[in-house]
Amino acid sequence: MLDQLNAEQERFLAALPEIADEDALYQLQVTYIGKKGSITGLSKKLGKLTVDERKAFGAELNRVKKAVQAALDGRREELREAARARDLARVEDLTMPAKRPPRGSLHPIRIAQRALIDTFRRMGFDVAEGPHVEHANFNFDALNFQPDHPARDMQDTFVVDDRRGSEDLVLRTHTSPVQIRTMLGRTPPVRIIAPGTVFRCDDDATHSPMFHQIEGLYVDRGVTMADLKATMIQFTAAFFGRSLDIRLRPSYFPFVEPGAELDMQCPFCERAQGGTCSVCKGTGWIELGGSGMVHPAVLESVGVDPEVYTGWAFGFGIDRMAMLMYQIPDLRQMFDGDVRFLRSFSN
Amino acid sequence: MRISCQWLSSLVELPNGASLDPSLVASVLTGVGLEVDAIEPTGAGVESILVGEIRKKEPHPEADRLTLVELFDGETIQSVVCGASNLPEVGGKVAFAPVGARLPGGMEIAPRKVRGAPSTGMICSEEELEIGGDGDGILVLPESWEAGRRLVDLVPEICDTILEIGVTPNRPDALGHVGVARDVAVKLDGRLTLPELGAADVPVSEELVSLEAGDRCGRYLGFVLGGVKVGKSPLWLRVRLHRLGLRAINNCVDITNYVLFEQGQPLHAFDRERLAEGRVVIRRATEGEPFAALDGSEHELGGEDLVIADAAIPQALAGVMGGARSMVDAESEEILLEAAWFAPSGVRASAGRRSIHSDSSYRFERGVDFGEGLDRAALRALKLFETLAGATCTAKAEALGELPRPPSIDLRLSRVHHVLGMPVGAREAERILRGLGVVVKSDGPIGSLHCTAPSHRPDIHREVDLIEELMRFHGLEDLPAEASVPSAPIVETVDPRATVRERLADALCEAGLHEHLAYSFTHPDKLRPFLGEGEAGRIVALSNPLRVPLSVMRTHLLPDLLDALEVNVARHPHAVRLFELGRVYAWAEERSGSAAPTFDPTRAAPVDQIDGLLPEEREQAAILLHGGDAEDGRSAVGVLVHALERLGYQVRVEAFAESKRIPYLHPGVQAAISIISGDTSACVGHVGELHPDIARERGLGDRAGIYVGVVELRALPALPVPVARERPRFPATSRDLSLEIPTVLPAAKVVDALITAAAGAAPDPSAGEDPAQLLGDGIAPGVEVVEDYRGRGVGEGRRALLLRLHYRAVGRTVTDGEIHKLHDVIVQGAIEALSGPELEVRIR
């Protein structure tokens, strides 16, 4: 029996180095010292031995079992070590092109419009919208564009064929009709911005027949032109991160009186790095848009008493703002859908 | 409007005799709202041009058309070769460019030989000197001018700075130099110096002018000028007109143009001998009355056109253009000079109807001065006719119609402060207003000025218009930046539709699509394949499109995305993943010709009445996928499902019933996208492969796999608030099921059938309150579609769908036995429900 035990141990020791992985090692363990293992099996024969023999053989059996177990453990450790070394020797080139999910982008107009909306929201403005096809009563009449007055020619207007032979329906030429819609719906104080798409019958390198504006309107007791200036300076601080000077130059828009062009100190001069700024052409100012005190006739048209309430309004072009901010060289690029352009805005 | 700085300077006298330099003028004008768009110095190089006297002329021996001239330049005799045919005789004077001179065009004069003859200098034409349009011959100067003098000293108009200013439509007064000068004088605290006027102390001849349309003509002055010598205008006048962009014609026409640009008042000169009975009648045209305009155009007039007729026929379209017949020409000896005020809207309508837009109509439709300025313009012209054409005024007449009444306005100085947010003092206010011609009296209420607007400022109607004048001249430089305090809290709202739109844009962007933005108008042919039943009749068209490809409002976004696809495939080989989120337009119903309602233009009409007249505007989102690694129909479905689930919606993708298929999608590759809320499911869009016929029409036929999808934003329910889901506490047990089904049977139907069968399965009574159910494990759904196999072992037109069904109970671990029974019941139930005469469904 002892011979048998020794033979099993020899066999085991011979097999052990051939073992190459943990699964095989486990099988080996089962083969020799598992419940039905060959070494374990020898213990069943203990009963046939005398007490002394049993004692001696038992001790021997235990020793061999322990030795086998130790050898198994040692081999396992070796295998693990080897596996770890192999794993560590593995090379995966992470500089190969990354597997990344496709990345999309929002249109620069949406990005700019959102930035403007966020800024004005923080300044307490509500956001209002209106239809793109608008009635001339809102697009012109109520905004103090007199019928038959050449001021109507200031905005090249697309007329919608209303199939009734009238020229009453137009593509809105500005976001200002939203002023009318808003004031008809609520009483002052009214403090809104109205971003949106507008249309003019004009198409060349610097004019697109469709573009985007953001309108601002604030009507309340005691609103002044000085408040407009203060609000615009506050806007520049919130939008550009630093407060920029605002310059008003008298101008004419039928729905405001007094009316003024709104210029902002150029925030892009630093890009020129000491050279002449290409945005403001070195003047230090860029034109934001038109502005002014809401014309009393406009307030009257919506039933607001101009003796009690005053207000101001402004309108900027979003497209030009986006072009300046994102350094878009050509207006037309924005509308043809070339993904090589659009993906610039995937951040 | 072009403004001559020299001319302007002559009309303004500054305090302490200061002079007006062009950069000061430019900054003043921009500061008062007459924005300077360009500053153009003129006459550079012309300073060196001299008066030359012809001393000898002989033909060039080598060339027929050249002349050898000996020319006295004030110091010496120069030999010059000249090719002009209009060289004056010996003793005549010409403009001579000596050696070393540089002409405005950049040409430098150097000694040279012309066909062997030496030439030291050049005899110039107007065109070469850029002081006129005549390039046919040389410029011949008056014989009285002294040889050797600089031309610019004799005609200082040559070296001038021209400002291009933008005049807004409210400022007709600034369409003449006097009006602009008035603003400059007020701004710089100077004085307006008006040019010398003539007199018309002649008898009134009533029959000269008859006004039959007083509602359209407020004032008509007629002057008869006799002894007119029509000829060329003097050089200074021609140069000045040239600088303003006008062509010199003859002294009579040039004088009226000159006065137009000086006083802003259009005048017209008729050859009186060609007026029947030598008189004019201001009347409406008769329907169909012919009129030949002096620009050569022929018109058939209508009853709303106002004409200046003679005793027989129209001789001018009032305020718009004179007639060819009575035009002043070299033969004219007696002229009738017209100075008038026509009602602006009438002139505007007439010019619009006849498509004639002239310098005159431009001013009349904005409103010219009907008062003092009208008289001044006429008398100014008389003076010029007298001095430049030797004319004498022999008779005059005036007719009066309806004129606007200059408004009287009380200007409250407190109101100035109230509107601007800065005060303007009473004295400063008076100075400014008086300078502008406003009649100011302090006899009104205390603290206010009683003002009457001048007749040259039709834009001043009410108090705020005067406040604007104070702002213009007091300046905005000192305007403080002072925020006012709201009188009541301002409640902000957020439009939930805007939130849905913005979040959907984000989600589509997150799904790896680039946002495209296209014009809202498109080509009708591009819409055609996308139009559904009755939609063609609901298209919103423009009456005045820029061009046909931009002539109708889009009814769908997909045509624009296809345009963008075309752009991309033409330019690069990469994948195209695009979305657009925007409005589409359609009339609510087919529109017929019932009359459009009219509204009071001084009031805003009620919003609901206006909105009832407008077409429907719907927001849509559309996607387009083409190319790339794994682009197939399911990628497009994935984009939409991802985006909608990202907004919190529960999304279902299902097959369309055959009758509801989308015609512009491939009939076999399309599905409906629905959103489940509560017990209801609503279709919000569709997705699929673009119909190959449309791809072919678009020239994209060789490109397989253009996948598109559309979501109607108004169909989307309110954004759901997320609800925390149960985390199952006990594990689920799954069973795989391989069903062999016809290819045309959608997987969604199989899944639905299994779920329905599960819901209908009788619960195992032994399980008590907590039976095993077909239930997801919190991540996988109850029924998962694992594989769609077609090919070996599966018949033609059939496929094997491998499904995995997950079972669990809520509060316990389920046993194999109960699941076995339940699974069999569910599968049998589903197979029965799915099978039909043409549909064989069986377990594989």
Side-chain angles (χ1 to χ4, degrees):
Chain A
M1 273 224 340
L2 205 57
D3 292 347
Q4 217 178 333
L5 179 64
N6 285 336
E8 285 300 321
Q9 187 178 5
E10 287 303 315
R11 229 155 43 87
F12 167 77
L13 288 172
L16 189 61
E18 306 299 317
I19 298 300
D21 61 56
E22 285 199 50
D23 284 350
L25 191 67
Y26 178 72
Q27 281 309 314
L28 192 69
Q29 179 169 355
V30 171
T31 310
Y32 289 94
I33 58 171
K35 263 187 190 164
K36 293 174 181 167
S38 55
I39 293 174
T40 317
L42 291 174
S43 65
K44 287 178 185 145
K45 297 184 177 168
L46 280 173
K48 295 176 184 165
L49 301 178
T50 64
V51 174
D52 282 356
E53 278 176 338
R54 197 185 301 166
K55 225 174 178 178
F57 184 71
E60 192 56 17
L61 189 61
N62 268 337
R63 188 193 59 77
V64 170
K65 266 179 151 175
K66 274 185 184 153
V68 166
Q69 187 63 56
L72 282 167
D73 289 349
R75 181 68 187 145
R76 183 172 293 116
E77 206 42 49
E78 272 174 40
L79 286 174
R80 282 184 181 170
E81 193 49 48
R84 179 169 171 274
R86 268 199 313 280
D87 189 32
L88 288 177
R90 183 172 51 84
V91 171
E92 185 183 341
D93 182 0
L94 296 186
T95 69
M96 287 288 285
K99 291 182 185 169
R100 55 182 175 199
R103 194 167 36 144
S105 58
L106 293 178
H107 196 274
I109 295 289
R110 187 180 301 280
I111 298 173
Q113 186 168 302
R114 276 191 189 176
L116 289 165
I117 290 174
D118 287 351
T119 305
F120 282 110
R121 270 210 179 282
R122 275 181 278 141
M123 293 168 62
F125 285 82
D126 224 346
V127 181
E129 293 180 12
H132 294 170
V133 179
E134 187 56 278
H135 196 283
N137 182 267
F138 282 8
N139 196 74
F140 294 123
D141 296 342
L143 289 166
N144 193 39
F145 284 79
Q146 314 278 337
D148 300 329
H149 192 272
R152 293 219 177 181
D153 301 340
M154 290 171 83
Q155 303 179 345
D156 295 320
T157 310
F158 282 114
V159 177
V160 169
D161 175 7
D162 74 347
R163 305 191 194 177
R164 289 169 166 164
S166 87
E167 297 196 346
D168 289 346
L169 299 190
V170 298
L171 296 188
R172 64 175 181 185
T173 53
H174 46 185
T175 41
S176 309
V178 182
Q179 291 189 17
I180 302 301
R181 291 176 169 274
T182 307
M183 287 194 282
L184 284 175
R186 41 178 124 167
T187 49
V190 168
R191 190 172 167 91
I192 56 147
I193 49 161
T197 311
V198 300
F199 304 85
R200 304 234 181 127
C201 217
D202 206 351
D203 195 9
D204 59 40
T206 54
H207 295 89
S208 147
M210 182 183 105
F211 56 103
H212 303 81
Q213 279 187 341
I214 186 162
E215 183 93 3
L217 173 73
Y218 180 33
V219 177
D220 197 358
R221 292 170 201 269
V223 174
T224 64
M225 199 109 178
D227 179 81
L228 169 65
K229 188 172 177 183
T231 308
M232 287 298 111
I233 292 174
Q234 197 192 340
F235 159 75
T236 62
F239 193 75
F240 294 100
R242 63 202 156 101
S243 123
L244 300 168
D245 204 3
I246 288 288
R247 181 175 78 173
L248 294 162
R249 281 183 290 121
S251 189
Y252 169 72
F253 309 97
F255 42 102
V256 287
E257 185 86 349
E261 294 279 359
L262 198 58
D263 296 342
M264 168 181 72
Q265 196 190 331
C266 178
F268 305 109
C269 283
E270 59 197 34
R271 277 194 210 149
Q273 295 181 329
T276 305
C277 173
S278 62
V279 176
C280 67
K281 315 263 180 308
T283 62
W285 295 96
I286 59 174
E287 205 175 297
L288 265 183
S291 67
M293 299 302 291
V294 180
H295 198 292
V298 174
L299 296 175
E300 284 160 2
S301 84
V302 293
V304 170
D305 183 353
E307 278 300 305
V308 178
Y309 294 103
T310 49
W312 50 248
F314 67 78
F316 310 158
I318 297 177
D319 306 56
R320 190 165 158 273
M321 182 83 88
M323 289 176 74
L324 294 180
M325 288 197 299
Y326 312 128
Q327 305 184 51
I328 299 168
D330 173 12
L331 183 66
R332 284 152 199 272
Q333 285 186 3
M334 291 211 280
F335 304 114
D336 72 1
D338 189 327
V339 294
R340 294 169 305 170
F341 166 76
L342 295 175
R343 64 194 289 279
S344 323
F345 305 96
S346 58
N347 54 343
Chain B
M1 162 93 182
R2 287 165 71 83
I3 292 288
S4 149
C5 279
Q6 235 180 47
W7 201 350
L8 201 63
S9 300
S10 73
L11 295 168
V12 180
E13 188 184 304
L14 291 187
N16 311 320
S19 69
L20 265 181
D21 71 273
S23 64
L24 174 64
V25 174
S27 78
V28 164
L29 293 183
T30 295
V32 298
L34 298 169
E35 189 172 359
V36 175
D37 296 324
I39 301 178
E40 182 190 312
T42 63
V46 185
E47 307 94 313
S48 49
I49 305 300
L50 305 175
V51 177
E53 181 181 331
I54 300 200
R55 287 287 171 88
K56 196 175 165 195
K57 279 174 33 172
E58 58 186 43
H60 191 297
E62 304 287 322
D64 292 348
R65 285 183 300 167
L66 298 181
T67 312
L68 302 180
V69 181
E70 285 190 4
L71 180 142
F72 178 58
D73 68 3
E75 285 177 5
T76 54
I77 302 286
Q78 306 281 355
S79 304
V80 181
V81 180
C82 181
S85 56
N86 67 332
L87 265 178
E89 292 311 306
V90 169
K93 304 287 168 39
V94 293
F96 174 64
V99 167
R102 181 190 279 274
L103 299 187
M107 181 182 182
E108 202 160 329
I109 308 297
R112 57 186 190 127
K113 285 195 166 174
V114 181
R115 295 277 186 104
S119 185
T120 52
M122 180 175 147
I123 300 174
C124 304
S125 71
E126 281 180 14
E127 198 176 55
E128 283 156 343
L129 298 176
E130 295 185 3
I131 56 171
D134 185 358
D136 288 344
I138 53 150
L139 170 60
V140 179
L141 303 175
E143 277 195 31
S144 59
W145 289 6
E146 192 188 330
R149 290 200 62 185
R150 295 200 311 163
L151 189 59
V152 66
D153 293 333
L154 294 158
V155 188
E157 287 78 5
I158 287 172
C159 286
D160 197 354
T161 300
I162 304 298
L163 304 178
E164 184 74 52
I165 64 170
V167 180
T168 51
N170 59 326
R171 290 295 307 281
D173 67 301
L175 294 170
H177 281 69
V178 166
V180 175
R182 188 182 289 115
D183 273 13
V184 173
V186 172
K187 183 70 185 180
L188 297 177
D189 206 5
R191 205 170 62 82
L192 185 65
T193 50
L194 292 170
E196 201 184 337
L197 304 182
D201 302 325
V202 289
V204 171
S205 161
E206 297 279 2
E207 69 287 353
L208 205 52
V209 175
S210 8
L211 175 55
E212 294 176 0
D215 58 329
R216 295 279 297 276
C217 173
R219 232 186 134 196
Y220 195 99
L221 308 181
F223 300 88
V224 176
L225 301 172
V228 177
K229 286 169 207 65
V230 178
K232 211 168 182 183
S233 295
L235 186 56
W236 67 266
L237 178 52
R238 296 192 332 254
V239 171
R240 190 151 267 183
L241 293 177
H242 179 73
R243 293 290 185 235
L244 299 177
L246 286 149
R247 200 160 54 91
I249 313 254
N250 59 45
N251 52 1
C252 294
V253 176
D254 294 351
I255 287 167
T256 58
N257 280 333
Y258 185 81
V259 175
L260 171 85
F261 278 88
E262 183 181 82
Q263 307 283 338
Q265 172 67 50
L267 302 174
H268 185 66
F270 296 95
D271 183 335
R272 188 168 177 231
E273 285 142 318
R274 293 191 213 156
L275 296 179
E277 300 178 16
R279 65 189 182 92
V280 289
V281 183
I282 301 102
R283 60 165 170 87
R284 286 180 164 78
T286 55
E287 206 60 54
E289 201 169 12
F291 170 65
L294 54 73
D295 66 355
S297 60
E298 305 270 342
H299 304 270
E300 229 176 70
L301 303 179
E304 277 312 299
D305 289 316
L306 188 70
V307 297
I308 314 303
D310 57 14
I313 60 163
Q315 295 290 358
L317 186 56
V320 180
M321 191 166 276
R325 221 184 110 79
S326 55
M327 189 168 78
V328 173
D329 61 21
E331 318 290 303
S332 307
E333 284 176 1
E334 188 177 56
I335 65 175
L336 177 73
L337 179 71
E338 161 196 300
W341 185 90
F342 300 112
S345 59
V347 173
R348 180 171 156 80
S350 220
R353 271 197 299 273
R354 305 293 151 230
S355 294
I356 312 179
H357 298 280
S358 61
D359 282 331
S360 296
S361 68
Y362 193 80
R363 285 162 177 79
F364 280 121
E365 66 181 55
R366 282 159 173 73
V368 300
D369 193 345
F370 52 82
E372 216 178 290
L374 188 61
D375 298 295
R376 195 170 55 233
L379 296 179
R380 174 64 174 151
L382 292 192
K383 179 76 194 170
L384 293 171
F385 270 108
E386 190 186 310
T387 52
L388 304 178
T392 333
C393 182
T394 56
K396 67 177 178 184
E398 174 172 3
L400 281 174
E402 294 163 25
L403 280 174
R405 275 238 303 272
S408 289
I409 307 161
D410 283 327
L411 172 66
R412 296 162 293 173
L413 291 165
S414 61
R415 186 74 186 171
V416 178
H417 194 165
H418 188 76
V419 169
L420 297 181
M422 69 175 173
V424 176
R427 285 181 59 171
E428 167 80 342
E430 271 189 65
R431 180 192 75 78
I432 291 169
L433 296 175
R434 288 218 164 94
L436 293 172
V438 176
V439 178
V440 183
K441 291 182 184 149
S442 348
D443 58 0
I446 299 206
S448 62
L449 302 173
H450 186 71
C451 301
T452 307
S455 54
H456 60 263
R457 289 298 301 273
D459 59 318
I460 297 180
H461 301 286
R462 51 197 295 172
E463 189 179 29
V464 71
D465 300 321
L466 294 172
I467 295 175
E468 174 167 74
E469 296 307 310
L470 298 184
M471 176 198 82
R472 287 203 303 132
F473 293 98
H474 185 71
L476 281 165
E477 299 83 8
D478 302 333
L479 184 70
E482 265 171 22
S484 59
V485 179
S487 66
I490 294 166
V491 182
E492 274 185 71
T493 53
V494 176
D495 179 358
R497 286 168 312 157
T499 311
V500 169
R501 177 208 309 145
E502 296 304 318
R503 291 217 24 213
L504 187 58
D506 281 335
L508 289 167
C509 168
E510 196 183 59
L513 272 59
H514 298 291
E515 184 180 15
H516 172 44
L517 179 55
Y519 289 161
S520 298
F521 18 64
T522 185
H523 196 296
D525 290 350
K526 288 183 174 170
L527 291 180
R528 202 177 18 81
F530 296 91
L531 296 173
E533 185 84 22
E535 273 190 310
R538 296 171 49 210
I539 290 179
V540 179
L542 299 180
S543 300
N544 59 339
L546 282 168
R547 45 188 181 271
V548 177
L550 302 176
S551 62
V552 296
M553 301 306 285
R554 57 185 182 184
T555 55
H556 287 79
L557 297 182
L558 289 177
D560 290 328
L561 284 177
L562 290 179
D563 285 350
L565 177 64
E566 283 177 17
V567 163
N568 280 285
V569 299
R571 295 179 185 174
H572 64 80
H574 302 287
V576 179
R577 299 167 63 85
L578 289 171
F579 78 94
E580 182 165 6
L581 214 164
R583 294 190 197 177
V584 296
Y585 311 79
W587 294 111
E589 76 280 349
E590 295 223 14
R591 313 239 319 159
S592 55
S594 67
T598 50
F599 298 106
D600 172 3
T602 64
R603 296 237 142 256
V607 176
D608 50 350
Q609 281 186 34
I610 292 289
D611 285 351
L613 300 170
L614 303 180
E616 206 176 74
E617 296 182 19
R618 272 156 39 224
E619 281 186 307
Q620 274 189 350
I623 64 165
L624 182 145
L625 306 181
H626 175 65
D629 297 338
E631 230 64 286
D632 59 17
R634 283 168 66 194
S635 322
V637 176
V639 165
L640 285 186
V641 171
H642 162 85
L644 292 170
E645 287 185 347
R646 194 75 180 79
L647 269 63
Y649 296 122
Q650 201 183 334
V651 183
R652 262 174 77 91
V653 180
E654 50 203 339
F656 276 113
E658 199 170 330
S659 62
K660 291 190 171 169
R661 274 193 197 141
I662 305 292
Y664 52 83
L665 296 178
H666 187 295
V669 191
Q670 55 174 281
I673 305 280
S674 301
I675 285 179
I676 303 167
S677 42
D679 298 334
T680 60
S681 158
C683 181
V684 300
H686 47 266
V687 61
E689 184 176 343
L690 183 71
H691 198 292
D693 292 349
I694 298 177
R696 207 166 301 121
E697 256 176 60
R698 285 289 200 132
L700 296 160
D702 54 335
R703 303 195 156 260
I706 299 168
Y707 297 98
V708 295
V710 175
V711 171
E712 289 288 343
L713 265 67
R714 67 172 175 187
L716 297 178
L719 282 178
V721 176
V723 175
R725 289 184 215 190
E726 175 214 12
R727 289 177 306 172
R729 287 171 55 215
F730 293 88
T733 297
S734 61
R735 288 284 183 280
D736 283 359
L737 167 67
S738 182
L739 283 183
E740 198 193 293
I741 58 171
T743 315
V744 292
L745 180 62
K749 285 210 166 157
V750 176
V751 172
D752 283 351
L754 288 162
I755 291 170
T756 310
D764 184 352
S766 65
E769 294 289 286
D770 190 10
Q773 304 171 62
L774 188 61
L775 259 185
D777 62 3
I779 292 181
V783 181
E784 264 187 289
V785 180
V786 179
E787 203 190 324
D788 177 1
Y789 174 76
R790 302 163 201 219
R792 236 169 59 176
V794 180
E796 182 67 23
R798 297 182 65 77
R799 57 179 175 156
L801 211 56
L802 180 65
L803 300 134
R804 187 161 296 147
L805 282 66
H806 299 276
Y807 295 99
R808 67 182 170 86
V810 176
R812 63 187 176 88
T813 304
V814 290
T815 65
D816 273 1
E818 65 178 325
I819 296 310
H820 191 77
K821 267 162 69 186
L822 179 60
H823 183 68
D824 281 351
V825 170
I826 290 175
V827 171
Q828 285 316 317
I831 289 175
E832 269 167 39
L834 288 169
S835 298
E838 301 284 304
L839 287 167
E840 190 200 347
V841 175
R842 58 185 170 86
I843 300 176
R844 257 186 113 218

